[in-house]
Amino acid sequence: MQTEVKEKPRYALVASVQLPDVSDVEFEASLAELSELAKTLGFQVVQTFVQKRSSFDRTAYLGVGKLEEVSMFVNRGVRNDELEAGSPALDADAVEFDVLLVDHEISPSQARNLELAVGCAVMDRTMVILEIFHRNARSRAARAQVEIARLGYMAPRLREAAKLAGPQGRQRSGVGGRGAGESHTELDRRKVRDRIAELQREIIAMELERKTQRARRLERQGLGLGGVSLVGYTNAGKSTLMRALTGSEVLVANKLFATLDTTVRALYPESVPRVLVSDTVGFIKNLPHGLVASFKSTLEEALDAALLLHVIDASDPGFLRQLEVTDEVLQEIGADEVPRIRVFNKIDHVGDEAAQAAWTAELQQRYPGCVVMSARRPEEVASLHAAIVAFFRQDLVEDELLLPWSAQQLRGDIYSHCQVLEERADEDGSWFRVRGEPETLRSLRAQLNPGAQGREKEYWEV
């Protein structure tokens, strides 16, 4: 009989400094987001320490008094009556704090001094995000991109790590290195640079391969192909909407950054023109610049798309800040000029029917042309599906084609790449009145009997 092994709980503390230019609402939203990030990593946040200052302490981020308060809390332990509201009760005898999470990116020396002062490991916001990306990356490209970002983050912190290591960070023999007396830190930095260069070469090769695959895919599907890319804040429900629009089984999880690798599926039921839908990595406030740069290949789907679906969590009180973050990142990668539809998802999480109706009306007034829906309601998904198809049909033109009896093998191509409005037959073959993209129609016409096309206008006027 196999015994289930229960994983030991991991406990975390959170610390943050509120600067004068940060509002209380924005500050609380950022802290709540960090707690969700911690949850994604498997930590239970026990206590949050906040401090209002005009600037971060240059030595250890927090001021001396707050450092002492955190240190006493870590070393004394915690009682159940001291827990934050909503935190599960703890077994006081088993409490051991694993990490202090800081809601900003801090310097290597600040992290080292903070760790020494409070007596437990320290992770800043950037390191938390990098760790989540590292755990969730699945494809070869995503893993390589995450490793580059992590190495870039760790490189300047090697010196502080060497200080913590004591004598191990000092001089050692030059055997195998570049010269006698090369330190661990110098050698490690060289290894980091070499590894980053190696990964960048791999990514360039993968990008070429991906472009080739995309070109082949477009060639196979024909010219009548549209692209939609789902973008938005992490955990806004993009993967759930992706599954609803395409009928595919993609990962759906109620946690931040559940999706890192781009997934591409055809819109279902299929339409004319055929539309491909892609899901992208979610955005987040203060996304490390190294990750924005390294994930450009993942976000390229947004650049290549003809239409963006900007998915927003309608039930989140901080949706406005999330909307602004997504707009900023899209502008940073050059995708801000791509046409988009704002999709306010999760409206079913907003109170009762009356509350949902009132919030829907307000959102539609504030954001004309937006879609307010729940990805779990089939009729609302069908309405969004129709809006997407209408977008790709707005530039279609009507035309007439004659398919000779000798070229009936092309019948499938006509139905695949055009919307057939009418079909009739005579002694010359099948006549089609169709709606499609101009380039697609020209391509089909070139494959048909050009001598028969002169009769089209005369035929349809009869």
Side-chain angles (χ1 to χ4, degrees):
M1 182 177 178
Q2 192 173 17
T3 304
E4 184 179 348
V5 179
K6 188 175 181 180
E7 189 174 337
K8 181 183 176 183
R10 304 171 68 204
Y11 301 117
L13 304 172
V14 168
S16 184
V17 171
Q18 182 177 4
L19 300 177
D21 59 342
V22 179
S23 68
D24 291 344
V25 173
E26 185 178 359
F27 184 69
E28 291 297 330
S30 186
L31 283 175
E33 187 173 88
L34 183 61
S35 293
E36 285 299 311
L37 290 169
K39 179 182 174 183
T40 301
L41 278 183
F43 290 112
Q44 175 188 324
V45 175
V46 174
Q47 187 78 349
T48 300
F49 297 90
V50 299
Q51 184 176 33
K52 292 187 176 183
R53 290 176 57 95
S54 59
S55 62
F56 304 141
D57 182 85
R58 285 191 282 182
T59 303
Y61 176 68
L62 296 171
V64 175
K66 188 60 66 173
L67 283 176
E68 290 180 358
E69 182 182 341
V70 177
S71 178
M72 287 176 60
F73 192 89
V74 170
N75 294 319
R76 179 176 56 83
V78 60
R79 300 188 306 272
N80 286 327
D81 60 353
E82 294 179 311
L83 293 178
E84 293 183 341
S87 297
L90 304 177
D91 179 0
D93 295 333
V95 171
E96 182 178 335
F97 296 108
D98 297 276
V99 66
L100 173 66
L101 305 177
V102 177
D103 197 25
H104 291 93
E105 181 172 344
I106 57 179
S107 70
S109 62
Q110 284 175 319
R112 172 177 172 268
N113 292 330
L114 187 56
E115 186 170 325
L116 291 173
V118 302
C120 69
V122 171
M123 293 177 69
D124 64 9
R125 185 185 182 91
T126 300
M127 188 174 182
V128 170
I129 295 173
L130 287 171
E131 183 61 26
I132 293 173
F133 272 59
H134 173 67
R135 294 186 185 185
N136 288 284
R138 294 291 179 266
S139 71
R140 192 162 56 103
R143 287 197 299 267
Q145 291 157 349
V146 170
E147 188 176 349
I148 286 179
R150 290 183 85 210
L151 290 171
Y153 173 83
M154 292 305 300
R157 288 161 172 78
L158 292 174
R159 183 182 298 276
E160 298 302 325
K163 290 178 181 177
L164 285 175
Q168 294 181 4
R170 297 178 181 173
Q171 299 287 336
R172 71 174 186 183
S173 169
V175 177
R178 216 173 349 186
E182 185 173 35
S183 71
H184 278 288
T185 303
E186 292 165 347
L187 181 59
D188 288 344
R189 281 179 173 171
R190 182 153 56 87
K191 286 180 178 179
V192 166
R193 288 195 301 269
D194 292 345
R195 179 59 179 160
I196 288 177
E198 179 185 354
L199 289 167
Q200 287 173 335
R201 288 192 294 270
E202 289 181 10
I203 288 175
I204 290 172
M206 285 186 277
E207 285 177 350
L208 292 173
E209 181 181 344
R210 188 163 47 250
K211 288 179 181 178
T212 302
Q213 290 173 346
R214 184 181 294 128
R216 288 175 180 169
R217 185 176 68 209
L218 293 173
E219 185 178 347
R220 282 199 307 270
Q221 300 298 339
L223 294 169
L225 186 70
V228 175
S229 188
L230 301 178
V231 298
Y233 215 73
T234 182
N235 209 31
K238 296 189 303 301
S239 294
T240 302
L241 186 58
M242 172 82 169
R243 186 167 68 174
L245 287 172
T246 63
S248 61
E249 290 299 321
V250 295
L251 176 64
V252 176
N254 184 27
K255 62 180 183 179
L256 304 188
F257 297 120
T259 304
L260 292 183
D261 302 300
T262 301
T263 306
V264 182
R265 298 286 187 274
L267 188 68
Y268 181 84
E270 289 198 10
S271 62
V272 176
R274 192 166 186 261
V275 177
L276 294 183
V277 184
S278 63
D279 193 6
T280 62
V281 62
F283 303 145
I284 192 169
K285 182 178 173 63
N286 297 328
L287 183 69
H289 287 289
L291 278 178
V292 172
S294 65
F295 264 79
K296 270 194 174 180
S297 59
T298 303
L299 298 173
E300 271 181 3
E301 294 293 340
L303 290 170
D304 292 341
L307 174 67
L308 298 182
L309 295 186
H310 180 176
V311 186
I312 306 148
D313 184 351
S315 67
D316 194 319
F319 84 90
L320 186 59
R321 181 179 62 92
Q322 299 176 1
L323 190 152
E324 292 171 351
V325 168
T326 304
D327 285 345
E328 288 170 5
V329 176
L330 289 175
Q331 184 175 7
E332 187 170 344
I333 66 171
D336 53 317
E337 296 183 1
V338 179
R340 77 181 76 173
I341 298 175
R342 285 195 172 100
V343 179
F344 287 91
N345 190 27
K346 299 187 180 183
I347 190 64
D348 54 327
H349 293 184
V350 181
D352 57 17
E353 290 186 8
Q356 293 178 31
W359 187 227
T360 296
E362 183 173 343
L363 287 172
Q364 289 175 339
Q365 182 178 6
R366 290 166 65 176
Y367 304 97
C370 74
V371 174
V372 184
M373 62 171 293
S374 167
R376 302 188 185 280
R377 294 174 179 168
E379 69 279 7
E380 293 175 357
V381 173
S383 179
L384 179 60
H385 182 287
I388 294 170
V389 173
F391 173 84
F392 285 99
R393 285 182 176 174
Q394 63 184 347
D395 296 325
L396 302 187
V397 296
E398 289 191 18
D399 204 348
E400 296 86 28
L401 299 174
L402 170 63
L403 179 64
W405 295 117
S406 59
Q408 290 298 306
Q409 70 275 9
L410 296 177
R411 174 181 293 272
D413 289 346
I414 293 176
Y415 274 92
S416 296
H417 304 313
C418 302
Q419 181 184 10
V420 178
L421 305 175
E422 184 180 353
E423 178 182 356
R424 298 176 66 181
D426 66 7
E427 67 276 8
D428 294 324
S430 301
W431 289 90
F432 294 88
R433 185 188 296 274
V434 297
R435 181 183 291 121
E437 293 182 337
E439 190 61 34
T440 300
L441 295 176
R442 280 194 292 270
S443 177
L444 286 169
R445 187 182 297 280
Q447 299 177 66
L448 302 174
N449 184 354
Q453 303 305 317
R455 290 186 51 214
E456 293 166 7
K457 188 173 187 300
E458 174 188 351
Y459 176 84
W460 291 106
E461 288 176 348
V462 174

